[in-house]
Amino acid sequence: MSDTNSTQSSAQQSLHYSLLSAFLKGTVKIPQMPENALRIRSLLRDPYTSLEHLSRVINSDPPLAAYLMQFADSPLLKSARPCRSLRDVLARLGTSKLNNLVLSFAVRNIFISKELALQKAFRARWNASLARAAWSASLTSVLPEISADDALLGGLFQDIGSLPLLAELENWPQIDRETDNLNTVCEQLSGQIGTVLLTSWKQPSHLVDCARYRNGHLASRSADTAQLYELVQIGEALHNPLKHQQLAQLPLAQQIFNDMDVEKVQQQLQEQVEVWFLLLGVKTRAR
């Protein structure tokens, strides 16, 4: 029986290696950002872009406009005057948050699968990415040298490799669709595939590193300042019950928290996390 299990495991590992090789060699086509999302992000970088022009462009993409309008009543946008239009929401969000939300929406809608098992795995991992992003952004309250916007994207991108991986599995019916096996494949390959994906999207190195070091927990710190990928590793350890024990092993966590008790650290960040959960639409509780 053990020989049979060993043979099956070896066969699965060979399949996983072949799948990774397909991405690394470029035989799997890496999806590109939707043209409209790239156009909007380009407009956001232009200091001469008017809110009226930006509103018109976003309104030409009804799903994106509807997604952004849901933040009209977000605690992050509360003020004496309510948001009554997309223009109001855009003005209140500001360039950085809007840029991140547009990118998040675009990424979420790039990868689609027809298989129910893959859809389920995709939804679970994307929701986990949103939760990781919320915890990562909240950590900037104790690490102000890293911006909340970078932390948000770093959290979203740490497991970005799982999305094209799950989409590509439609072409690999020989790989078991059982939930635990799909998660194992993602955990093994996400970091390397995510590095390829983010590099092809020309993302800055500090964001690429979040995927590159997804499973790399350094024994010591070589940088004088906190690195984004280190903060995201802490966010992952806080939101994922399977990785709670890793918190005490992370050098940056040892520097910024007096107590390595996960529950106490979570309580310290609870208020900020709840706000980010609302903004991102995370479908789970913060604890």
Side-chain angles (χ1 to χ4, degrees):
M1 186 70 173
S2 60
D3 289 342
T4 300
N5 289 339
S6 177
T7 300
Q8 290 175 343
S9 176
S10 177
Q12 287 292 322
Q13 288 295 329
S14 295
L15 280 173
H16 297 176
Y17 177 77
S18 297
L19 183 57
L20 175 61
S21 295
F23 276 95
L24 297 179
K25 292 177 180 177
T27 54
V28 173
K29 185 178 179 181
I30 295 293
Q32 298 303 305
M33 277 286 179
E35 189 173 324
N36 199 39
L38 291 174
R39 182 185 178 195
I40 292 169
R41 299 189 75 211
S42 177
L43 288 174
L44 290 171
R45 289 193 293 268
D46 185 348
Y48 298 104
T49 298
S50 68
L51 280 175
E52 288 74 14
H53 185 194
L54 190 58
S55 296
R56 286 196 301 272
V57 173
I58 292 177
N59 273 319
S60 70
D61 186 343
L64 174 59
Y67 171 72
L68 294 174
M69 279 302 297
Q70 75 181 5
F71 300 114
D73 297 322
S74 167
L76 293 183
L77 306 186
K78 288 294 185 183
S79 72
R81 185 169 62 86
C83 294
R84 301 185 183 279
S85 67
L86 178 61
R87 185 187 185 284
D88 290 341
V89 173
L90 301 183
R92 205 74 59 80
L93 278 170
T95 300
S96 294
K97 284 189 177 63
L98 180 56
N99 198 2
N100 290 346
L101 289 173
V102 168
L103 184 58
S104 171
F105 179 83
V107 170
R108 169 63 180 85
N109 289 279
I110 286 176
F111 307 102
I112 300 173
S113 174
K114 298 176 183 177
E115 287 190 40
L116 291 179
L118 299 179
Q119 288 178 19
K120 180 180 177 181
F122 175 91
R123 286 194 298 269
R125 297 195 78 87
W126 181 248
N127 199 53
S129 291
L130 293 174
R132 183 189 312 108
W135 281 104
S136 298
S138 300
L139 282 163
T140 61
S141 64
V142 293
L143 276 170
E145 62 266 38
I146 295 178
S147 76
D149 297 311
D150 276 347
L152 185 75
L153 282 186
L156 284 175
F157 283 167
Q158 194 205 55
D159 189 35
I160 191 70
S162 288
L163 307 189
L165 172 57
L166 289 169
E168 172 62 18
L169 283 180
E170 283 194 341
N171 301 317
W172 296 68
Q174 64 271 48
I175 290 184
D176 188 357
R177 266 44 173 176
E178 198 272 331
T179 298
D180 286 346
N181 186 65
L182 290 176
N183 283 330
T184 296
V185 176
C186 288
E187 287 299 317
Q188 289 178 348
L189 307 184
S190 175
Q192 290 162 290
I193 295 173
T195 301
V196 172
L197 177 64
L198 294 175
T199 300
S200 74
W201 284 356
K202 296 181 171 57
Q203 293 300 302
S205 60
H206 63 278
L207 289 175
V208 178
D209 284 347
C210 292
R212 178 178 287 118
Y213 299 123
R214 170 171 169 72
N215 295 316
H217 304 293
L218 305 182
S220 61
R221 302 193 63 239
S222 58
D224 294 330
T225 58
Q227 301 298 301
L228 178 62
Y229 75 86
E230 295 179 292
L231 176 144
V232 173
Q233 287 177 348
I234 297 174
E236 169 73 359
L238 289 173
H239 101 86
N240 187 345
L242 297 177
K243 298 186 178 181
H244 282 351
Q245 292 183 342
Q246 294 181 0
L247 182 68
Q249 302 168 17
L250 299 174
L252 182 60
Q254 296 167 11
Q255 288 190 18
I256 62 177
F257 296 117
N258 295 323
D259 193 325
M260 288 292 99
D261 184 278
V262 171
E263 187 170 336
K264 290 181 180 179
V265 174
Q266 288 177 327
Q267 288 174 351
Q268 181 179 339
L269 301 171
Q270 186 76 23
E271 186 175 343
Q272 298 98 312
V273 172
E274 294 290 354
V275 172
W276 284 106
F277 269 36
L278 284 172
L279 175 62
L280 295 171
V282 180
K283 296 178 176 63
T284 186
R285 296 186 62 185
R287 290 183 57 208

